[in-house]
């Protein structure tokens, strides 16, 4: 058989594995598919160009290496006008933090600030109050039988935390949440034309909303992050329009980054617990175990399964040659179960000495909101096992047909 034939049959096999990922079965358990992909090597050609990277250490190294960059605006423009990288919503994302490279990235990341221990402590009381309110609402519904944990709790907590932090009126939260579900297709691995059209419409509405918000805060500054970002941007950017655009992209991306991912994290940690009911009592008896349980659930099945980078020069990765400008897709969902990294990778074990996951990426783009996401998940699990009787899963959840961004559509529970 000639090399061309081998490559084309390899390509067909990989295409078919990716089709399986989009089925209901592939969504509820993508890991057997990842296992098959891994059996082809830690670096395998992606059917649409570039490579898939399946090894933990390789992904970790790549995320920290200056030789790999984000697909930024210049790279996107080179992909041609008809490419998916040049649709309106994807172009808009090209201005946000995770699509910037240094030195622009350094400037914008500095302007964004960070969640230090003090600011997380400040947020903590509000997160606990909201969590208790949502668990009370869940308990109320459970009196009549079953309730959808995803809708009642996991969809509500992140928007209340980030919406409250940004000072967005609660009446706007449901619409913003819906828009983020549509917008995420611009960040998916292989979005369809109709998904990108949804994302374009959502992006237009989000742009109008956040540009208005920036104008309002400029007219009436308050004690909130958007007002602080305006002051920071005014100090580094003399052009007022560019400063406002900088604040808009920051506020937009923080909302997009914070909602769906955290919702998935909350439901997936709770699903991990429902599937292992023997953990309920130990977690209730010893809240110190909760952070390790949360980290293990991020290793087990993180909200983001794929991160993309672009080669800045020609080179070789684990024997596979690549050219400058080619993409790699880091399969960070799969690498949590990489047997070369984790002993008994297929065991859910919160007692691991080194949990080791790349759920929040790595290097200069390490997730800015990781401390907030952790605060929410830890508070939720702690209060859940303390306040509610043991719950049981009524039926296996349904998932949205995604590849990069996991999304549970429901999580129906009942008292055990
Ligand atoms: C479980 C929840 C979350 C997950 C799994 C997650 C995951 C990620 C990942 C994988 C990246 C890096 C993308 C890349 O390397 O190209 C990232 C970046 C980012 N995340 Fe998160 N995120 C979560 C929650 C949040 C929250 C709550 C916020 C805001 C409060 C946030 C804000 C950001 C920002 C601003 C960036 C861009 C950082 C940069 O490019 O410098 N994220 N996140």
């Amino acid at each position: 058989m000639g090399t061309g034939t081998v490559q084309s049959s390899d390509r067909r096999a990989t295409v078919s594995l990716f089709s399986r990922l989009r089925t209901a079965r592939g969504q509820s358990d993508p890991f057997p598919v990842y296992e098959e992909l891994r059996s082809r090597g830690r670096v395998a050609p992606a059917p649409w160009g570039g490579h898939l990277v399946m090894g933990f250490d390789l992904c970790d190294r790549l995320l920290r290496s200056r030789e790999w960059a984000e697909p930024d605006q210049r790279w996107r423009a080179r992909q041609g006008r008809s490419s998916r990288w040049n649709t309106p919503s994807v172009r808009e994302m090209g201005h946000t933090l995770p699509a910037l490279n240094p030195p622009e990235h350094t400037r914008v990341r500095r302007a964004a600030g960070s969640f230090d221990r003090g600011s997380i402590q400040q947020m903590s009381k509000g997160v606990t109050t909201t969590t208790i309110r949502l668990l009370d609402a869940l308990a109320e519904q459970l009196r009549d039988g079953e309730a959808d944990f995803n809708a009642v709790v996991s969809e509500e907590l992140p928007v209340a935390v980030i919406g409250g932090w940004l000072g967005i009126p609660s009446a706007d939260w449901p619409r913003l949440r819906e828009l983020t579900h549509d917008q995420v297709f611009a960040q998916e691995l292989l979005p369809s034309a109709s998904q990108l059209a949804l994302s374009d419409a959502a992006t237009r509405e989000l742009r109008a909303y956040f540009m208005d918000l920036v104008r309002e805060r400029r007219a009436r500054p308050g004690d909130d992050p958007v007002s602080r970002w305006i002051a920071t941007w005014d100090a580094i950017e003399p052009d007022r329009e560019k400063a406002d655009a900088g604040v808009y992209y920051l506020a937009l991306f923080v909302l997009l980054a914070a909602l769906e991912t955290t919702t998935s994290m909350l439901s997936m940690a709770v699903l991990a617990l429902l599937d292992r009911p023997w953990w309920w009592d130990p977690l209730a008896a010893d809240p110190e175990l909760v952070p390790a349980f949360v980290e293990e659930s991020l290793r087990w099945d993180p909200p983001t399964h794929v991160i993309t980078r672009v080669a800045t020069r020609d080179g070789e990765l684990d024997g596979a040659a690549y050219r400058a400008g080619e993409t790699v897709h880091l399969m960070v969902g799969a690498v949590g179960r990489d047997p070369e990294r984790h002993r008994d990778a297929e065991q859910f074990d919160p007692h691991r000495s080194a949990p080791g996951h790349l759920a929040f990426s790595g290097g200069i783009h390490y997730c800015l909101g990781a401390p907030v996401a952790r605060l929410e998940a830890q508070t939720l699990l702690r209060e859940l096992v303390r306040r509610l009787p043991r719950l049981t899963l009524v039926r296996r959840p349904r998932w949205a047909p995604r590849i990069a961004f996991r999304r549970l559509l429901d999580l129906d529970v009942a008292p055990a």
Side-chain angles (χ1 to χ4, degrees):
M1 209 164 25
T3 321
T5 324
V6 173
Q7 277 177 355
S8 80
S9 73
D10 248 17
R11 188 178 174 280
R12 273 200 305 278
T14 311
V15 169
S16 126
L17 284 173
F18 271 84
S19 317
R20 265 172 59 195
L21 275 183
R22 289 191 210 247
T23 61
R25 195 155 163 211
Q27 283 298 310
S28 78
D29 186 9
F31 297 96
V33 174
Y34 294 156
E35 218 23 69
E36 282 191 52
L37 280 171
R38 203 188 337 266
S39 69
R40 291 151 188 275
R42 295 191 308 160
V43 179
W48 52 90
H51 290 90
L52 306 169
V53 184
M54 305 294 298
F56 184 101
D57 291 345
L58 266 181
C59 285
D60 191 33
R61 210 171 72 217
L62 258 144
L63 285 170
R64 292 164 201 279
S65 161
R66 284 294 174 100
E67 289 186 17
W68 295 89
E70 290 281 1
D72 60 15
Q73 286 186 73
R74 273 193 307 177
W75 181 89
R76 288 168 197 232
R78 285 203 297 275
Q79 307 314 301
R81 291 195 65 77
S82 59
S83 133
R84 64 149 283 205
W85 292 98
N86 281 304
T87 58
S89 49
V90 182
R91 264 207 317 271
E92 192 77 346
M93 292 310 287
H95 296 272
T96 62
L97 257 175
L100 303 180
N101 287 308
E104 186 59 4
H105 175 265
T106 319
R107 185 169 100 115
V108 177
R109 178 107 187 189
R110 246 182 233 140
S114 62
F115 293 100
D116 57 18
R117 199 181 289 234
S119 51
I120 288 297
Q121 248 162 17
Q122 261 180 12
M123 284 177 116
S124 169
K125 199 163 159 227
V127 171
T128 305
T129 311
T130 308
T131 305
I132 293 172
R133 174 174 60 75
L134 295 172
L135 289 177
D136 284 349
L138 185 82
E140 189 61 38
Q141 289 199 19
L142 287 172
R143 267 194 253 281
D144 300 328
E146 59 185 67
D148 180 355
F149 194 99
N150 195 59
V152 180
V153 181
S154 308
E155 287 269 3
E156 295 293 334
L157 182 57
V159 77
V161 172
I162 289 301
W165 182 67
L166 290 171
I168 290 175
S170 57
D172 299 345
W173 297 350
R175 182 66 190 147
L176 291 174
R177 200 176 43 206
E178 286 316 304
L179 291 172
T180 60
H181 287 316
D182 284 349
Q183 205 286 339
V184 79
F185 291 118
Q187 304 165 66
E188 249 302 323
L189 184 58
L190 301 167
S192 66
S194 60
Q195 288 173 333
L196 285 172
L198 277 177
S199 190
D200 289 348
T203 307
R204 272 195 302 278
E205 198 174 326
L206 284 164
R207 169 177 255 277
Y209 183 89
F210 278 102
M211 286 304 268
D212 274 354
L213 186 78
V214 174
R215 272 191 287 274
E216 272 170 31
R217 297 287 158 88
R218 190 175 270 295
R220 280 178 295 281
D223 182 18
D224 62 89
V226 180
S227 302
R228 285 195 289 277
W229 288 332
I230 292 173
T232 309
W233 271 92
D234 283 352
I236 58 171
E237 177 54 73
D239 181 326
R240 178 67 63 90
E241 263 182 40
K242 283 191 187 160
D244 280 358
V247 178
Y248 150 69
Y249 285 122
L250 213 46
L252 169 74
F253 188 71
V254 163
L255 183 92
L256 293 174
L259 295 199
E260 224 185 66
T261 48
T262 314
T263 293
S264 300
M265 177 186 186
L266 301 180
S267 276
M268 283 144 87
V270 172
L271 178 61
L273 176 59
L274 297 172
D275 281 341
R276 293 162 193 84
W278 56 91
W279 274 101
W280 196 281
D281 293 339
L283 289 175
D286 183 5
E288 301 282 304
L289 279 175
V290 167
F293 191 95
V294 167
E295 295 309 304
E296 179 66 349
S297 79
L298 284 169
R299 178 192 75 85
W300 188 249
D301 193 350
T304 309
H305 275 209
V306 187
I307 296 176
T308 298
R309 291 288 187 268
V310 172
T312 59
R313 60 178 77 162
D314 298 354
E316 217 185 82
L317 201 57
D318 218 37
Y322 60 81
R323 307 297 299 261
E326 271 185 6
T327 49
V328 285
H329 302 293
L330 311 177
M331 305 300 284
V332 292
V335 303
R337 311 248 190 129
D338 180 355
E340 284 182 27
R341 165 78 185 192
H342 298 287
R343 193 179 320 151
D344 299 327
E346 291 301 324
Q347 295 297 318
F348 185 94
D349 177 12
H351 290 305
R352 281 174 196 282
S353 52
H357 61 71
L358 298 174
F360 294 121
S361 187
I364 61 170
H365 292 278
Y366 184 80
C367 175
L368 190 84
V372 181
R374 286 188 165 117
L375 172 69
E376 290 180 45
Q378 292 173 10
T379 308
L380 176 61
L381 278 193
R382 229 175 261 134
E383 297 300 331
L384 172 66
V385 294
R386 206 158 73 89
R387 288 174 181 271
L388 267 72
R390 217 188 260 193
L391 300 180
T392 182
L393 192 62
V394 175
R395 57 189 71 81
R396 297 309 300 171
R398 290 175 307 130
W399 298 78
R402 313 274 195 78
I403 294 177
F405 292 89
R406 306 277 280 146
R407 183 185 172 202
L408 276 134
L409 296 172
D410 46 41
L411 187 64
D412 294 332
V413 296

